[in-house]
Amino acid sequence: MQFEQGPIRPPSEATSLLLRVTRNCPWNKCVFCKSYKKRKFSRRSVEEIKNDIMAIKNTCEEIKDLSKQWGERGNISLNVIQQLQHKYDHTYLHLAIWLYYGGKTAFLQDANSLILKKEDLLEVLQTLKDNFPSIERITTYARAKTVCKKNVQELEQLHQAGLTRVHMGLESGSDKVLSLINKGATSSEMIEAGQKLIQGGLSLSYYIILGMGGKKYTQEHALESARVINAANPDYIRFRTLSVIPRTQLADMVEEGIFEPLPEEEIAREEKLLIENIDHVNSNLASDHANNLLEDVRGKLPEEKKSMLQVIDRFLQMPLEDRTNFQLGKRLGIYRTLDDMKDPTKYNHVSQEVKHLQGEGSFENVINYIRQRL
């Protein structure tokens, strides 16, 4: 039996069950995003979603039966996953991986699941929990404007029914930047939505796009984003680094000279300024995406704030040769952290690549090209 899946989910939900409750994005006007472009938004009916839940349950049982046939006694092992990878479609593989990790988490797709009527979402949550009692965490994306339209009591009811975390694209705390990127929400709405979610017992995960203000608004982007974070006190702050994706409105703005992207070193300085101005919050800061240059800027705030800033300072204080080496090595997947540069074989290999690109006069272009595809 088949069930629907949307195109994206947060990296932190890589091993979660993906249940599609809405299709695409009701706003779909952000200049930097093309995930749902030329796709119409729609709400799925409760009946459709419940049918998908039953299809998922039946497929899980089929996977367990296959496991028995393959001598694994119903257990979902790496051998079972490998067999499914070669013989069955991606939905089997997705569910097998979910079961392999314990079947404990689920993510409601697509971009704004809280737009469903509260009663409908409560019924979906109840059906999901009834059929999969192993689920301990259910998360989703939501827009600030949608959350603002709900009262705290409604959010409490959703939390009691099983919803545990909401991922929200703050992108920037600057109203100027939010207007520039056509986010469709203000910083005050971002704060109100965040505070409401927390009051309703839900965990809040904010996403910040480093470099989103470009050269013109880099300082304001950092300081105002810190202001919103301080006001909302989210459980998670997740950094993403801006990539100007071809065939987006933002790419057109760059071409027309309306938006000037920041070089990576300037993004690192912006990141430092942002973190320096985050105060009085108890948040987990994560750089959990490959497009971030400094993935090891992560930890608990306020306890590990100093160590995060030290990582950024370490990069900025390196000689130019080492900074360019790390930038390319990170983008090529040769490095993950600054300590990976200590391997002389890796370092020398990347150095040869840097010299070649600098000789061609195309180093920055190559870095930008790779970042667009991460």
Side-chain angles (χ1 to χ4, degrees):
M1 297 177 69
Q2 295 296 311
F3 57 93
E4 280 197 36
Q5 285 188 321
I8 62 173
R9 45 86 184 149
S12 58
E13 305 295 340
T15 59
S16 293
L17 172 67
L18 303 181
L19 178 67
R20 196 175 203 183
V21 303
T22 61
R23 298 184 182 96
N24 309 311
C25 177
W27 177 246
N28 206 16
K29 296 177 184 178
C30 297
V31 302
F32 59 89
C33 178
K34 70 172 189 178
S35 295
Y36 304 104
K37 290 296 183 284
K38 297 182 180 180
R39 298 179 185 179
K40 185 178 179 181
F41 173 77
S42 64
R43 297 168 175 84
R44 300 190 72 204
S45 69
V46 173
E47 183 180 0
E48 279 184 290
I49 301 166
K50 290 171 76 171
N51 286 340
D52 271 8
I53 292 172
M54 296 313 300
I56 291 167
K57 185 174 183 178
N58 291 336
T59 304
C60 286
E61 291 303 317
E62 187 178 345
I63 291 170
K64 292 175 183 178
D65 288 340
L66 289 169
S67 168
K68 293 175 184 177
Q69 293 177 27
W70 296 331
E72 298 289 348
R73 296 175 297 180
N75 297 318
I76 311 304
S77 64
L78 291 176
N79 175 50
V80 169
I81 291 173
Q82 188 176 27
Q83 295 260 30
L84 290 169
Q85 189 172 11
H86 295 300
K87 299 177 183 179
Y88 292 82
D89 68 37
H90 76 279
T91 57
Y92 282 78
L93 182 62
H94 165 67
L95 292 180
I97 292 172
W98 177 60
L99 292 170
Y100 177 79
Y101 283 97
K104 295 180 179 180
T105 63
F107 179 77
L108 307 182
Q109 296 176 300
D110 279 340
N112 190 26
S113 299
L114 288 190
I115 202 170
L116 286 183
K117 291 180 180 179
K118 181 198 69 177
E119 291 77 16
D120 290 349
L121 199 48
L122 287 173
E123 189 172 350
V124 168
L125 290 166
Q126 189 61 56
T127 304
L128 188 60
K129 294 283 283 185
D130 286 345
N131 284 279
F132 298 103
S134 63
I135 292 178
E136 300 173 356
R137 189 188 79 202
I138 303 174
T139 68
T140 191
Y141 283 133
R143 295 192 69 237
K145 277 188 177 295
T146 300
V147 176
C148 287
K149 292 176 182 177
K150 296 188 180 296
N151 58 49
V152 173
Q153 184 180 15
E154 288 178 297
L155 296 172
E156 286 176 341
Q157 289 176 308
L158 292 172
H159 174 56
Q160 290 166 3
L163 187 64
T164 50
R165 180 177 302 154
V166 171
H167 297 268
M168 185 179 297
L170 170 61
E171 326 306 5
S172 176
S174 162
D175 285 317
K176 291 180 182 178
V177 176
L178 292 171
S179 177
L180 177 70
I181 65 176
N182 200 19
K183 181 64 183 175
T186 64
S187 63
S188 61
E189 288 171 327
M190 296 291 189
I191 293 170
E192 179 187 347
Q195 291 176 339
K196 272 188 172 181
L197 289 167
I198 292 172
Q199 289 169 18
L202 292 157
S203 172
L204 169 64
S205 180
Y206 268 157
Y207 289 77
I208 306 288
I209 301 181
L210 301 174
M212 192 71 260
K215 285 193 175 183
K216 184 176 181 179
Y217 295 118
T218 179
Q219 183 171 354
E220 174 162 333
H221 172 52
L223 294 176
E224 289 295 281
S225 296
R227 176 183 65 84
V228 172
I229 289 168
N230 291 339
N233 193 11
D235 297 282
Y236 289 89
I237 305 161
R238 300 186 188 275
F239 283 165
R240 301 290 180 264
T241 301
L242 178 65
S243 294
V244 180
I245 307 299
R247 296 181 297 280
T248 59
Q249 191 177 344
L250 183 61
D252 294 337
M253 291 165 64
V254 172
E255 190 71 24
E256 295 165 10
I258 299 171
F259 186 92
E260 188 175 2
L262 282 178
E264 291 208 295
E265 290 181 26
E266 293 303 314
I267 290 176
R269 291 187 174 90
E270 177 181 280
E271 182 178 21
K272 179 182 178 183
L273 181 62
L274 198 166
I275 295 172
E276 284 175 336
N277 284 276
I278 297 175
D279 291 309
H280 312 300
V281 302
N282 294 290
S283 303
N284 295 285
L285 193 152
S287 296
D288 54 346
H289 197 284
N291 72 355
N292 292 327
L293 179 66
L294 301 172
E295 286 188 63
D296 40 352
V297 176
R298 60 181 184 268
K300 188 81 172 79
L301 290 167
E303 297 92 325
E304 298 178 273
K305 178 176 177 176
K306 183 178 179 181
S307 63
M308 292 184 227
L309 293 172
Q310 287 173 341
V311 172
I312 302 173
D313 284 336
R314 179 181 169 189
F315 169 72
L316 292 174
Q317 292 166 10
M318 291 192 303
L320 177 61
E321 180 181 354
D322 288 349
R323 293 201 304 274
T324 54
N325 184 289
F326 181 73
Q327 288 178 60
L328 184 60
K330 176 63 167 64
R331 297 311 176 196
L332 292 176
I334 296 170
Y335 303 143
R336 288 295 300 272
T337 70
L338 292 172
D339 283 342
D340 292 337
M341 296 177 68
K342 294 177 181 179
D343 184 326
T345 302
K346 291 181 179 179
Y347 185 91
N348 292 333
H349 172 68
V350 175
S351 291
Q352 292 302 313
E353 295 296 324
V354 171
K355 289 177 182 177
H356 172 72
L357 293 175
Q358 288 175 333
E360 296 291 325
S362 58
F363 182 78
E364 286 296 331
N365 290 338
V366 171
I367 292 292
N368 291 334
Y369 177 83
I370 296 172
R371 279 173 54 191
Q372 289 169 5
R373 281 149 182 80
L374 292 174

